[in-house]
Amino acid sequence: MRTALITGSGRREGLGFETAWQLAAEGFHVILSARTVDQVEPLAGELAQEGFDASALELDLLDRASAAEAARQVEERFGRLDVLINNADVMMPSPTVADKDLDELMFEFQTNVVGTWSVTQHMLPLLVAGGSRPDRERVQRRRGVLGPRLRAGQLPWLRDGRVRPAAESARGVVWAATLPDGGPTGLFFRDGKQLPW
């Protein structure tokens, strides 16, 4: 069974959980992770009740020891990782660049760049063990999008002036995560379509 680790999947209404749900429906064992395991254990349990393979993992992007321990646990339990989705991020709004609090900016940078980098470094050997080539790991970094995970009623996520549910956004993430070997790499995509660079 293929395994996928999704960071920042501790909110039921978030894109990370919706992505985990869709990957589980594709036959993956999904590893939901968040700063505390208490955030993801109930969600992994919910997926298991739906008949999916899921587990919970504590992973704090701001703590390198946490990333190392998470990698150790994934290796111990699965021996490899097929997909890493770096979903966790933070963005604190400010009206203008001039008004941006620099402490907030540093927190965002540490989380979104350094934390994501650390997790990727720790998981890379497991991705290689899962069959990924070092020049083409199945690693995704997507800009943080908070939207709902609802299959019926749709709470909105606003993008490009229109309402977009998390289920719709997650489809593009799942598409990229399930590309076959030899598929496109090193490019930017949205909804399976290449974006100009």
Side-chain angles (χ1 to χ4, degrees), residues 107-126:
F107 178 71
E108 292 169 349
F109 187 81
Q110 287 295 321
T111 303
N112 301 342
V113 177
V114 178
T116 296
W117 200 295
S118 172
V119 169
T120 302
Q121 281 185 329
H122 284 93
M123 298 297 168
L124 188 57
L126 297 170

Side-chain angles (χ1 to χ4, degrees), residues 49-72:
Q49 286 179 346
E50 292 187 43
F52 298 129
D53 289 304
S55 56
L57 181 68
E58 185 170 310
L59 177 53
D60 183 348
L61 269 63
L62 295 176
D63 182 352
R64 290 183 203 161
S66 174
E69 176 60 18
R72 187 196 66 73

Side-chain angles (χ1 to χ4, degrees), residues 21-67:
W21 188 90
Q22 288 186 24
L23 283 170
E26 292 279 332
F28 279 80
H29 177 96
V30 291
I31 307 166
L32 287 76
S33 71
R35 279 182 234 138
T36 67
V37 75
D38 294 342
Q39 292 174 276
V40 286
E41 277 180 337
L43 299 175
E46 184 178 319
L47 290 175
Q49 286 179 346
E50 292 187 43
F52 298 129
D53 289 304
S55 56
L57 181 68
E58 185 170 310
L59 177 53
D60 183 348
L61 269 63
L62 295 176
D63 182 352
R64 290 183 203 161
S66 174

Side-chain angles (χ1 to χ4, degrees), residues 82-164:
D82 297 291
V83 174
L84 170 61
I85 298 177
N86 287 306
N87 176 67
D89 78 346
V90 350
M91 188 160 81
M92 299 173 183
S94 61
T96 67
V97 171
D99 295 326
K100 182 66 176 178
D101 179 276
L102 293 181
D103 289 332
E104 286 181 355
L105 179 63
M106 275 308 265
F107 178 71
E108 292 169 349
F109 187 81
Q110 287 295 321
T111 303
N112 301 342
V113 177
V114 178
T116 296
W117 200 295
S118 172
V119 169
T120 302
Q121 281 185 329
H122 284 93
M123 298 297 168
L124 188 57
L126 297 170
L127 288 161
V128 171
S132 293
R133 297 188 330 249
D135 63 331
R136 189 185 183 277
E137 312 87 48
R138 292 197 188 278
V139 177
Q140 295 185 41
R141 172 68 183 141
R142 39 143 307 278
R143 190 66 203 110
V145 176
L146 296 179
R149 181 224 174 260
L150 298 174
R151 286 183 293 250
Q154 302 294 320
L155 296 175
W157 169 59
L158 188 61
R159 179 170 173 112
D160 300 333
R162 70 181 186 93
V163 172
R164 181 176 170 126

